Structures are given as structure tokens and as C-alpha cells.
Amino acid sequence: MGSLLGLCLGKAPTSSQLFLFFALGTDVQPGEEMEVIVEETISVRECLKIMLEKSGQPGDMWHLRKMDWCYEAGEPLCEDATLKELKICSGDTLLLIEGKLPPRGFLKVPMWWYRPPGPSGQWASQDLPSHAAPQVSSRQAVPTRGAPGHVPLEVSLLYLGDVEISEEATLRELKSQSVLIWHVLHAMVRAMALPFASGLAVQSPALLRAWAMESKRPSRLLRTNGCRLKEYKLGRRTEICLEPLQKEENLGPQDVLLRTQLRIPGERTYGPAEDLVWDTARGWTAGSLRQSVANFYSLPVEKIEIAKYFPEKFEWLPISSWNQQITKRKKKKQDTLQGGPYYLKDGDTIGIKNLLLDDDDDFSTVRDDIGKENQRQLGLGRKKSREALRAQSSDVFSNAGTPTRSRGPEASLSIHVGSFR
């Protein structure tokens, strides 16, 4: 009683068949999905062929991904596996994505060039020309710009291309293939006589630092050049960016690479970012980090304040000796910057304030103010949209004429709990 049934054209699928939706690309709009009925025992390759024929797409340079619960494309589906083995169910939506999957045991890794801001980053401080990237790929250079006066937190990325490589290959071999692509790009840039061409040369793969990316930002540092790619567990959606170095580095498992920025006294901005290698052999403590920062900048440890930057929130969290006055039992459990609230890792930005010249408690910048205001406006817009949708839904139900069930009178509720003493 009360169920809604839909009458659809075509013969109903049998118990061994699946009714699936599919669409082209990842930007799927409501009503653009197509439908197909296939046997659950067919392979993903056969299902892909059927969907390409029904959608009228030529060629075979496509692969399938399943739409996940948040309406985004998931991991690519293995073409040799059957739909039943992958637990594809009736009603699922599959996405036809351009690009053929690499053979089993191979990875197709999107590679980016990353130049952090600072004195050595000659073209990170300016926008890349829009006509440079299309000659290399359909993707454009992606400069992430901040407000004027906040250069250290900019990120500049240039897409190099996709590298197809075996999972058994080492990180050094991946860097070598990327350098070959980069030399081609460098030659093209020099031929175009662009002003930043002199800062693009790479002499050796050993002068490259590799990062796994998340949300178009360097996230996880890939340390050992001789380590095989499969040991990093990159996955099929991982993107990697390469950062040029002035000299070779050999980071150990106990070393943490941090971006440090010295705040300019009297101004809400920072100087150029510098790399600090923090040895955590003595523990991930606030005191150890403060001492390392003080030694790096030749400042008294009691005359500095440090804070970690959270770019997604535009906030700075001071790292102080907040746990010195608690009991030893709690200190042993809490005195680690790996856990909350800091979750310190490679690539994090650390702001340093020299108390000899600046005793202000504020670490924020003008860019942070702008970012927070944009987030607030975005939140207000979403709230208004939800309220409008809620009001529209209530109007629909109120005009539907559905009889409402009258509620009985409210009565008090008493709960008696027995004594177990």
C-alpha cells in the first residue's frame, strides 16, 4: 500500500541479467544517463563494447568506472573481470571515460611539474602563459594564486603528460621518463622564447623530488629512488608532481621535510619559504621541532613562536609547549605532533615569528582573511539553497491534498528503574 510503480518499455531483465545506467564523462547531468540490460557474467571489456555501440562512440580508447555514493567516478574497472565478480548490481551507474587502461601490472601516472615559491622558483611568481600548455597537453598549467604580499603559499603546477610504466619499475626510472618529457617541453618553451625558459632546465633525475598529489597539492613524499612503484601503493588515480632541487638529497625514514616561512615584522605577510629537514629521532615533540627551527634560523629557542598552516581552512595553529604542565601520563600520550590537532607530515607549512622583533599573537595574513570571507559567503549561499529547497518541498506536500493523520493527546511517560544494590 502506497508504493509507487513505474511502467517501463522493454522486456524485464532475468535473474541472471543486470539493468544498468551509463553516461559519458564525469560531469553527468540528470536525464543524460542511458540504459542497458546485460548478462552479469560478461566481462567489463564486453560491457564497455556494448555501451560504446549503444552510445555511438567510435574507437576503443575508453574505459569504465563505477559512480560511487557521492556521485563521483571511482577506480577504473578491470576489463578482464566479470560484472558479477566486481559486485555490480542492477541500478548501478557506470561512466564511460576517455583513455585506454594500461595492461595488467602497469600504471598510467599523470605527471606534473611543481616549482615551489622562493628565490629559486623563477616562474612560480608569475602566471604561466595560457598558450604554453596546450602544445603539450589538453590540460593547462595550473597556478594557484594567493593575494599580493603572500608569495610563499602559492603553488604552480604544469602538466607534463601521462607516463605508462610497470609497477615493478623504480621511482628513479619514473623520474627518468619524466625528465625525457620535460626536455621536450623545455625545447618547445625555448623555441617560443618565453621569459622563464632559463629556469626550466633539469640536469639529472637525482635533482628531482617526487610527491604524490591530493587535491592538486603535494601531499605524500616518495623518498627512496630505488623503491619499486608497487611498494608505494599509488593506485590508478594517483597523480605525481616533480619538484626541482639545487642539490641531491637523501632523506631517511626519521626525517620530515617542512616548508618554513619567517614572518616579516610589522606586516601581515611572510618571507620566502625554505625547506627544513627535521630529524624526529628524538620524538615528534613540540620542543624538538622548536629547537630545530631555532637552530635553522639562528634564533634563541625562547624567542620564537611557530604555527602550522591549514590551507583548506586558512588558519594557523600555534605549536607551543602546551603539554608541559600536564601529568607525565598524559604527556606521554599527547606529546606527539603526528596526532591531533596538528597531524604534522611532509610538506606542511610552518610559520615562524621572531619575538625579538614581533610580539603580535596573530599569524594570519590578508590572504587568509579573503579566504575565510569567501568560505563564509559560500556557506551562506548553500544555506539559502537548502532553505529554498526545504520550502519548495513543504509547498509540494501541502498542496498535494494528502490527508494528515490526527495526533492523539500527549501523555506523560514515567520510567521506573529498580535498585540493583
Side-chain angles (χ1 to χ4, degrees), residues 128-134 140:
L128 294 172
S130 59
H131 59 276
Q140 292 185 350

PDB file of all heavy atoms in Angstrom, residues 128-134 140:
ATOM      1  N   LEU A 128      51.767  31.342 -15.743  1.00  0.00           N
ATOM      2  CA  LEU A 128      52.281  30.719 -16.953  1.00  0.00           C
ATOM      3  C   LEU A 128      51.428  31.145 -18.143  1.00  0.00           C
ATOM      4  O   LEU A 128      50.219  31.280 -18.032  1.00  0.00           O
ATOM      5  CB  LEU A 128      52.243  29.201 -16.809  1.00  0.00           C
ATOM      6  CG  LEU A 128      53.186  28.644 -15.739  1.00  0.00           C
ATOM      7  CD1 LEU A 128      52.901  27.166 -15.558  1.00  0.00           C
ATOM      8  CD2 LEU A 128      54.622  28.861 -16.123  1.00  0.00           C
ATOM      9  N   PRO A 129      52.023  31.343 -19.304  1.00  0.00           N
ATOM     10  CA  PRO A 129      51.253  31.740 -20.468  1.00  0.00           C
ATOM     11  C   PRO A 129      50.236  30.671 -20.832  1.00  0.00           C
ATOM     12  O   PRO A 129      50.525  29.484 -20.805  1.00  0.00           O
ATOM     13  CB  PRO A 129      52.307  31.890 -21.576  1.00  0.00           C
ATOM     14  CG  PRO A 129      53.614  31.987 -20.861  1.00  0.00           C
ATOM     15  CD  PRO A 129      53.460  31.252 -19.588  1.00  0.00           C
ATOM     16  N   SER A 130      49.039  31.095 -21.179  1.00  0.00           N
ATOM     17  CA  SER A 130      47.972  30.140 -21.482  1.00  0.00           C
ATOM     18  C   SER A 130      48.242  29.385 -22.773  1.00  0.00           C
ATOM     19  O   SER A 130      47.678  28.324 -22.998  1.00  0.00           O
ATOM     20  CB  SER A 130      46.630  30.880 -21.590  1.00  0.00           C
ATOM     21  OG  SER A 130      46.710  31.869 -22.608  1.00  0.00           O
ATOM     22  N   HIS A 131      49.146  29.910 -23.645  1.00  0.00           N
ATOM     23  CA  HIS A 131      49.395  29.225 -24.911  1.00  0.00           C
ATOM     24  C   HIS A 131      50.515  28.202 -24.808  1.00  0.00           C
ATOM     25  O   HIS A 131      50.831  27.530 -25.781  1.00  0.00           O
ATOM     26  CB  HIS A 131      49.740  30.257 -25.994  1.00  0.00           C
ATOM     27  CG  HIS A 131      50.946  31.093 -25.650  1.00  0.00           C
ATOM     28  ND1 HIS A 131      50.847  32.214 -24.856  1.00  0.00           N
ATOM     29  CD2 HIS A 131      52.255  30.958 -25.969  1.00  0.00           C
ATOM     30  CE1 HIS A 131      52.057  32.767 -24.734  1.00  0.00           C
ATOM     31  NE2 HIS A 131      52.920  32.016 -25.384  1.00  0.00           N
ATOM     32  N   ALA A 132      51.132  28.086 -23.611  1.00  0.00           N
ATOM     33  CA  ALA A 132      52.250  27.151 -23.482  1.00  0.00           C
ATOM     34  C   ALA A 132      51.768  25.726 -23.285  1.00  0.00           C
ATOM     35  O   ALA A 132      52.288  24.801 -23.884  1.00  0.00           O
ATOM     36  CB  ALA A 132      53.145  27.563 -22.316  1.00  0.00           C
ATOM     37  N   ALA A 133      50.767  25.544 -22.419  1.00  0.00           N
ATOM     38  CA  ALA A 133      50.360  24.186 -22.057  1.00  0.00           C
ATOM     39  C   ALA A 133      49.636  23.427 -23.162  1.00  0.00           C
ATOM     40  O   ALA A 133      49.879  22.244 -23.327  1.00  0.00           O
ATOM     41  CB  ALA A 133      49.484  24.232 -20.811  1.00  0.00           C
ATOM     42  N   PRO A 134      48.722  24.047 -23.944  1.00  0.00           N
ATOM     43  CA  PRO A 134      48.006  23.256 -24.933  1.00  0.00           C
ATOM     44  C   PRO A 134      48.892  22.572 -25.950  1.00  0.00           C
ATOM     45  O   PRO A 134      48.500  21.579 -26.541  1.00  0.00           O
ATOM     46  CB  PRO A 134      47.081  24.289 -25.594  1.00  0.00           C
ATOM     47  CG  PRO A 134      46.892  25.346 -24.557  1.00  0.00           C
ATOM     48  CD  PRO A 134      48.198  25.405 -23.842  1.00  0.00           C
ATOM     49  N   GLN A 140      45.838  22.552 -18.955  1.00  0.00           N
ATOM     50  CA  GLN A 140      46.603  23.783 -18.904  1.00  0.00           C
ATOM     51  C   GLN A 140      47.426  23.830 -17.637  1.00  0.00           C
ATOM     52  O   GLN A 140      47.223  23.089 -16.698  1.00  0.00           O
ATOM     53  CB  GLN A 140      45.660  24.990 -18.945  1.00  0.00           C
ATOM     54  CG  GLN A 140      44.952  25.134 -20.291  1.00  0.00           C
ATOM     55  CD  GLN A 140      44.126  26.394 -20.336  1.00  0.00           C
ATOM     56  OE1 GLN A 140      43.935  27.049 -19.336  1.00  0.00           O
ATOM     57  NE2 GLN A 140      43.632  26.727 -21.503  1.00  0.00           N
TER      58      GLN A 140
END
